Amino acid sequence: MTKSFAERIGKGGYGTVYKGKLPDGSLVAVKLLNESKSNGEEFINEVASIGRTSHVNIVTLLGFCYERTNRALVYEYMPNGSLDKFIFTQESSSTNRHLEWKTLYEIAIGIARGLEYLHRGCNTRILHLDIKPQNILLDDGFCPKISDFGLAKLWLTKESIVSAAGARGTIGYIAPEVFSRAFGGVSHKSDVYSYGMLILEMVGCRKNFDSAASHTSEIYYPNRIYKDLEMENEESILGNIMDGENEISKKMLLVSFWCIQTNPADRPSMSKVVDMLEASLESMEFPPKPYLFSPTMSP
């Protein structure tokens, strides 16, 4: 299918992805999974759970391979790759790959609907626990599709939920309660937090956490954006962000700060997020300032 893994198209925490072709000519993405702590029965059960999902904003699982320690998942092929290629500056690229505001807005709504489905539309609630731009794939029309959901269980079955989620999350997107039970229990609201961080990055076209920054204020980007929003400082970074599309960008920012509230109970559900994104800007309440949890302070 992959011609001996000839063309690698991605690599993530769970394995390496290769481009493949089925006998009928249709393209697929084959994820060759890393070795897992789970046994064969757990793998089959989790694959069955993933395979039962069906939503326009969820990547479709077409098949799987299970042969002793070799395991692979076969997904539909996404020609535009992952979202990170379009929202972060590509220093090695001479072309500007940033998307129009209307497209970014539609992508944000699509991701929210996909997460809403995972949290409420499935027979059993599925927590993703690793929402980030690299796990949002784009089809040829830039419709977003969430990938890599449900895989965390296969690597973490013998561990507690806190250490489990922490081991599989990505710095910059992990909710406070994943690091410490003092903030609450890990739940679907942990995905809401990660979604909020993702939307901040989409609006700002930069990573929300920069470990290479020289000053603490530059390390944690949301701190600066919230202050601009609060002061309505249109001449600042916020003003540059909102260039030409004030309403869309401000609405996305307000939603993102509701999503990253420190207390999970204060965050909206993904259903509420969809409603907020589709409502008018005037109808939205201004979010309270979250205790902006810095990843550098985590245990």
Side-chain angles (χ1 to χ4, degrees):
M1 197 183 292
T2 64
K3 296 193 185 305
S4 298
F5 307 109
E7 187 177 348
R8 194 177 91 168
I9 56 176
K11 183 173 175 61
Y14 300 111
T16 306
V17 186
Y18 299 90
K19 189 174 182 179
K21 184 183 284 190
L22 298 179
D24 65 3
S26 55
L27 297 175
V28 292
V30 179
K31 182 182 282 285
L32 193 64
L33 298 172
N34 299 331
E35 280 197 37
S36 166
K37 294 181 180 180
S38 66
N39 61 36
E41 186 179 352
E42 288 168 333
F43 176 73
I44 298 296
N45 288 341
E46 199 56 35
V47 166
S49 174
I50 296 170
R52 281 194 292 270
T53 62
S54 178
H55 190 275
V56 68
N57 299 119
I58 299 293
V59 71
T60 302
L61 180 69
L62 301 175
F64 70 95
C65 167
Y66 171 51
E67 188 179 80
R68 295 186 297 279
T69 59
N70 299 315
R71 303 172 193 193
L73 300 174
V74 182
Y75 292 108
E76 59 179 325
Y77 179 71
M78 295 288 108
N80 276 316
S82 54
L83 179 60
D84 61 303
K85 297 186 181 77
F86 295 90
I87 61 175
F88 300 140
T89 302
Q90 305 291 311
E91 293 179 2
S92 60
S93 174
S94 59
T95 58
N96 182 0
R97 305 184 71 182
H98 291 169
L99 302 170
E100 293 181 359
W101 277 109
K102 189 175 186 303
T103 306
L104 280 174
Y105 175 66
E106 292 297 333
I107 289 172
I109 292 179
I111 299 167
R113 287 181 176 145
L115 273 174
E116 177 190 27
Y117 170 78
L118 289 178
H119 292 171
R120 297 186 60 191
C122 301
N123 292 331
T124 57
R125 175 176 281 180
I126 295 175
L127 305 186
H128 192 291
L129 298 179
D130 198 17
I131 290 293
K132 58 184 177 180
Q134 292 82 352
N135 285 336
I136 306 300
L137 304 181
L138 303 167
D139 70 9
D140 52 3
F142 288 95
C143 174
K145 294 178 185 281
I146 298 170
S147 70
D148 274 8
F149 59 93
L151 296 185
K153 287 184 185 176
L154 298 178
W155 275 260
L156 310 162
T157 50
K158 302 291 188 291
E159 302 173 34
S160 73
I161 189 164
V162 173
S163 62
R168 278 296 143 196
T170 302
I171 289 293
Y173 309 93
I174 307 175
E177 65 271 15
V178 173
F179 284 110
S180 171
R181 281 288 178 92
F183 292 99
V186 175
S187 71
H188 65 289
K189 292 293 185 74
S190 306
D191 280 346
V192 174
Y193 184 96
S194 301
Y195 173 83
M197 286 301 198
L198 169 60
I199 298 305
L200 274 175
E201 292 189 331
M202 289 173 64
V203 175
C205 287
R206 57 160 287 175
K207 293 182 181 293
N208 61 59
F209 173 69
D210 181 7
S211 58
S214 56
H215 300 290
T216 305
S217 61
E218 293 175 1
I219 291 174
Y220 201 54
Y221 179 56
N223 281 319
R224 302 163 70 186
I225 294 299
Y226 187 89
K227 187 175 181 181
D228 289 335
L229 264 180
E230 197 173 33
M231 303 295 290
E232 295 188 357
N233 187 358
E234 301 295 336
E235 300 302 318
S236 65
I237 305 169
L238 188 59
N240 295 330
I241 286 172
M242 291 181 172
D243 183 28
E245 290 291 353
N246 193 304
E247 183 162 333
I248 288 178
S249 52
K250 189 169 184 180
K251 189 191 294 186
M252 288 173 68
L253 284 173
L254 291 174
V255 167
S256 67
F257 278 105
W258 275 113
C259 290
I260 64 169
Q261 292 296 305
T262 311
N263 182 354
D266 294 335
R267 300 172 205 154
S269 65
M270 290 312 304
S271 301
K272 177 66 174 173
V273 167
V274 172
D275 291 343
M276 291 164 75
L277 286 170
E278 293 181 333
S280 66
L281 180 60
E282 294 72 26
S283 67
M284 293 185 66
E285 291 182 50
F286 196 86
K289 183 175 183 178
Y291 165 68
L292 290 169
F293 174 75
S294 172
T296 56
M297 301 299 291
S298 63

